[in-house]
Every structure is written in structure tokens, then in C-alpha cells.
């Protein structure tokens, strides 16, 4: 967006927020981005993501899964030290901020971006499904790989117990699977609902990554909804791709089928609904070009 134009009589203007023009004039640019421009940037990013090669989707997805796993483990380290749960929520967004700033791929963020671009007929439905599938697979590979390495480091390759952090992993994994199973259909519905709420907040963070032109502004904007989602204990399918396998590797009594039925499937479906219907489409309806 253009601000006022300032004329400089020779010499370069190097003040932050100024862009020199060929005619010697300088445009003052605001670091903040208004919602209509934010939506336009979201759509542009979605188009690019839809046409990335499969190898890039897998590699970027794997890196994102590992970074979210590391951030989750950092939060759980605080809990294992007896710090309040809120402390974990405060530190967790480091993973999300890193993956966004590196231009990586996170399926849950794409659950909002690509439906918006499809709605505006910028990409096809097949392109949406292609991106979601390969990125989700990449996230899965990265999350589970980090889970294996993390628990291996905690246990000396399973030569001893994982200590207080291992106990945190076991407890959290059990709360995300076994408690839902005990409640039957209501438990499954609860996991779905928490998935909707989780990705509503996470994709607000995805959108806010476009709200500032400065790195510090992007980080501050993204931090707010990501901290809120994690602090409220909602269900994020990619985070769970680390937490539950790590808890299982640390000794939680959970089978693969139980994990998939009672958490991974409902949390993923909820994430799709929360991202597409609560964030992506509403933003393009209200702020997109008509």
C-alpha cells in the first residue's frame, strides 16, 4: 500500500520503511498490511504451493513436522520441570514461527489457504487434494522421525527409562487417545471439535504471517493465536503425529489402530473444517476481491 510521497533532492534515502524510486522520489511504506492485501497475498501463496513439485512438498513438509515436534518437546520440558502449563504455551510458537519464516509446508495451514484459492478459481480441486496429501505425508514422516530420535536420545536407545520427560510424553499421549476411547462416540466427537478449534486458531496464525512486512512483526502476530491454541489444549493433527508416537515409544499403552481411530482421524477432519470453513473461506468472502 502506498503512503505519502517524499521528495529528496539527491542522495539515497536509507530510512526503514522508505523505498527509493527511479525519479528520485521515495515512497513511505507501512510495515502493516491491511486485510484485503493480506488476502491477496494468501491467494498468491496458495497458487505457488499448489504447483510445487512433489519432492519439495515432501521435504518442506518433513522439516515442518520435525520443527513442530521440537517445539512441543520444548514445551513439555518446561512441564517436566514443574513449570505451569501456560509456560509451555508461551514457548511452543517458536516452531510455527520458524517453519513459516523458512517457507516450509504445513498441512494444517494449507487447509485454509488452498480452499480459499480454489473458491476464487485460482487453482483446481485436484491441486488442493494433491498438496494436502503430499504435505500431510511429509509432515507425518518428519514428526515420527523426530519422535524416534527424541525418545532414543532420552532413553539412550532404550537402554534406560526416559525420566520425567518420558512420563510427560506417556501422560499426554494417553490423554489424547485413551480418554476419548473411554467416552466412545462422545469422545470421538470431542476430538473432532477440538480439532476444529485448534486449526481455526492455527490458521489465524497462518493468515497473520502475511500481516506485516517485517520479521519481528510477523513473529509477534503469529505468536498470539498459536500460543492460545496450545494453551487451551486443542487437537492439532500434526503435533499429534509427534506426541502420540513419542508417547508410545516411551511406553504408553496405545496401539496404532487405537491412535488412528480415536485421535488422528477425528483431529485431522476437525483441522480441515476449522481451517477451510472458519478461516480461509470467511477471509476471502469478506476481504477478497469481488
Amino acid at each position: 500500500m502506498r503512503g505519502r510521497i517524499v521528495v529528496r533532492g539527491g542522495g539515497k534515502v536509507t530510512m526503514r520503511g522508505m523505498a527509493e524510486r527511479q525519479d528520485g522520489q521515495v515512497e513511505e511504506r507501512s510495515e502493516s498490511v491491511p486485510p484485503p492485501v493480506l488476502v491477496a497475498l494468501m491467494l498468491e501463496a496458495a497458487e505457488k504451493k499448489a504447483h510445487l513439485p512433489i519432492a519439495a512438498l515432501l521435504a518442506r513438509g518433513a522439516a515442518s513436522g520435525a520443527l513442530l515436534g521440537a517445539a512441543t518437546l520444548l514445551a513439555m520440558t518446561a512441564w517436566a520441570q514443574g513449570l505451569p502449563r501456560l509456560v509451555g504455551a508461551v514457548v511452543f510458537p517458536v516452531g510455527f514461527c520458524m517453519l513459516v519464516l523458512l517457507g516450509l509446508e504445513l498441512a494444517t495451514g494449507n487447509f485454509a489457504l488452498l480452499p480459499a484459492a480454489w473458491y476464487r478459481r485460482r487453482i483446481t480441486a485436484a491441486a488442493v487434494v494433491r498438496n494436502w496429501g503430499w504435505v500431510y505425508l511429509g509432515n507425518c514422516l518428519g514428526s515420527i522421525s523426530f519422535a524416534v530420535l527424541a525418545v532414543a536420545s532420552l532413553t539412550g536407545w532404550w537402554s534406560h527409562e526416559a525420566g520425567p520427560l518420558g512420563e510427560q510424553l506417556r501422560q499426554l499421549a494417553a490423554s489424547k487417545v485413551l480418554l476419548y476411547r473411554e467416552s466412545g462416540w462422545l469422545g470421538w466427537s470431542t476430538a473432532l471439535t477440538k480439532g476444529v478449534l485448534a486449526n481455526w486458531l492455527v490458521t489465524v496464525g497462518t493468515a497473520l504471517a502475511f500481516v506485516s512486512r517485517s520479521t519481528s512483526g510477523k513473529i509477534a502476530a503469529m505468536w498470539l493465536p498459536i500460543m492460545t491454541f496450545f494453551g487451551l489444549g486443542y487437537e492439532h493433527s500434526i503435533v499429534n503425529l509427534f506426541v502420540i508416537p513419542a508417547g508410545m515409544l516411551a511406553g504408553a499403552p496405545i496401539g496404532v489402530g487405537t491412535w488412528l481411530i480415536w485421535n488422528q482421524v477425528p483431529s485431522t477432519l476437525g483441522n480441515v473444517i476449522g481451517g477451510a470453513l472458519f478461516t480461509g473461506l470467511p477471509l476471502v468472502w469478506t476481504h477478497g476481491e469481488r
Side-chain angles (χ1 to χ4, degrees):
M1 295 293 291
R2 295 190 176 186
R4 60 188 177 90
I5 296 177
V6 183
V7 180
R8 293 288 184 257
K12 290 185 177 181
V13 178
T14 58
M15 294 175 60
R16 189 176 72 176
M18 299 291 186
E20 189 175 14
R21 291 170 27 155
Q22 291 181 349
D23 58 4
Q25 293 180 327
V26 174
E27 291 181 355
E28 183 178 3
R29 297 180 183 275
S30 170
E31 288 187 355
S32 64
V33 174
V37 178
L38 179 150
V39 170
L41 292 172
M42 287 173 58
L43 295 174
E44 182 181 345
E47 277 193 273
K48 292 179 180 178
K49 290 173 178 289
H51 296 103
L52 285 172
I54 292 173
L57 295 174
L58 285 172
R60 296 182 189 185
S64 287
L67 284 172
L68 280 192
T72 305
L73 196 62
L74 176 64
M76 298 179 74
T77 299
W79 300 339
Q81 295 171 351
L83 296 174
R85 306 289 287 185
L86 186 58
V87 174
V90 171
V91 301
F92 172 77
V94 297
F96 186 84
C97 291
M98 286 189 286
L99 72 88
V100 170
L101 294 176
L102 287 171
L104 303 179
E105 293 290 318
L106 185 64
T108 48
N110 292 354
F111 290 164
L113 294 178
L114 274 76
W118 168 80
Y119 176 76
R120 286 297 178 192
R121 299 182 181 179
R122 304 272 287 266
I123 60 176
T124 65
V128 175
V129 174
R130 172 184 178 273
N131 177 277
W132 285 3
W134 289 113
V135 173
Y136 195 95
L137 177 59
N139 291 162
C140 180
L141 294 173
S143 299
I144 294 177
S145 296
F146 180 77
V148 172
L149 295 174
V151 176
S153 70
L154 290 171
T155 61
W157 286 95
W158 291 272
S159 64
H160 54 76
E161 290 294 322
L165 192 50
E167 181 59 27
Q168 287 288 331
L169 286 167
R170 288 191 292 271
Q171 290 181 4
L172 186 58
S175 70
K176 286 178 171 292
V177 177
L178 301 182
L179 291 181
Y180 295 142
R181 186 182 64 177
E182 291 174 3
S183 299
W185 171 248
L186 289 177
W188 196 94
S189 301
T190 300
L192 176 74
T193 305
K194 287 186 175 182
V196 172
L197 295 172
N199 213 35
W200 163 53
L201 289 166
V202 169
T203 52
V204 167
T206 301
L208 289 178
F210 299 96
V211 81
S212 174
R213 294 186 174 93
S214 72
T215 300
S216 58
K218 289 177 181 288
I219 291 173
M222 290 186 287
W223 208 280
L224 303 175
I226 304 304
M227 178 181 68
T228 304
F229 131 71
F230 198 81
L232 291 173
Y234 293 147
E235 297 292 346
H236 188 270
S237 59
I238 310 305
V239 170
N240 292 345
L241 284 170
F242 161 74
V243 169
I244 299 173
M248 294 163 63
L249 291 167
I254 300 169
V256 172
T258 303
W259 157 38
L260 296 177
I261 292 171
W262 295 102
N263 184 290
Q264 204 61 42
V265 170
S267 67
T268 300
L269 291 174
N271 288 171
V272 172
I273 295 168
L277 298 185
F278 282 39
T279 303
L281 293 176
L283 282 175
V284 79
W285 286 335
T286 55
H287 292 300
E289 294 182 358
R290 299 184 181 279

